[in-house]
Amino acid sequence: MSLATASYAARRAVQKERVRILYRRALKDTLNWAVHRHLFYNDADALREKFEANRQVEDIELIDRMIADGEASHNKWRHPDPYIVPWAPGGSKFCRNPTPPPGIEIIHNYGREENE
Amino acid sequence: MASALRSAILRHIRVPVTNSLSLSGSAVRSMSSHGDDHLDKQAVIDRVIHVVKSFPKVDPSKVTPDVHFQKDLGLDSLDTVEIVMALEEEFKLEIPDKEADKIDSCHLAIEYIHNHPIAN
């Protein structure tokens, strides 16, 4: 068996990171679908239960397959119009008012210099 | 007479602009409602601690600005994910997945939020 070798530990670490990122995206997706907070809390609890039920699985191949299944079902249930923070890519304010390049100056009294 | 000549000339010639009065002219965006200033560090610390204390699985008396979520507060990695999401909602941030995975303690969270230019 491949217990307690470095590659096993590395594989488990990669799997744990995939699980964390999957949980994060699934939670954001849950918030997208259930806009009202009381519904979101119920759905978030249900999602947490699903993750907790598989907490003690130790077989690496089984964990890989479960993560792949989880990601597939997450892709299937992704919200078509997710809430994205406005200044982030995909949001409504993204690239809206970029900072002007340096050296540009607005002349405020153009054409009226003879009055000064 | 000289000013009339000058304006007549100016109407026909393109004169380059001299950089006379721009103190921080191009760095300050006066009408932007977001990202005008870095947040005050103490305000960031207060808000982060408030969010962590109101997490239901956390004991509020143990929360300090240096606490580690998993080692000191006894939380889970999934609980850490939930706390990071709560911080994202509090500061109206969008943290990329890889960065959010690395936020493991209050100290890291405060550093990240304080250095983020658009935290609000």
Side-chain angles (χ1 to χ4, degrees), chain A residues 31-93:
Chain A
L31 184 57
N32 283 331
W33 280 114
V35 183
H36 301 287
R37 218 58 197 193
H38 59 279
L39 301 171
F40 165 65
Y41 286 142
N42 294 340
D43 290 342
D45 285 341
L47 177 70
R48 184 69 195 255
E49 290 301 314
K50 278 192 237 167
F51 272 78
E52 291 283 336
N54 298 327
R55 182 190 267 263
Q56 71 287 355
V57 177
E58 289 293 331
D59 182 19
I60 258 198
E61 305 294 328
L62 184 58
I63 295 179
D64 269 338
R65 254 179 280 138
M66 285 175 131
I67 296 179
D69 286 341
E71 285 173 355
S73 71
H74 167 70
N75 276 334
K76 184 176 158 203
W77 284 105
R78 262 194 327 198
H79 191 92
D81 186 20
Y83 172 71
I84 304 180
V85 176
W87 49 263
S92 54
K93 255 168 96 169

Side-chain angles (χ1 to χ4, degrees), chain A residues 18-33:
Chain A
R18 276 177 79 184
V19 167
R20 285 199 293 264
I21 291 185
L22 177 63
Y23 181 62
R24 181 181 149 82
R25 295 172 70 187
L27 203 57
K28 283 192 176 169
D29 213 38
T30 316
L31 184 57
N32 283 331
W33 280 114

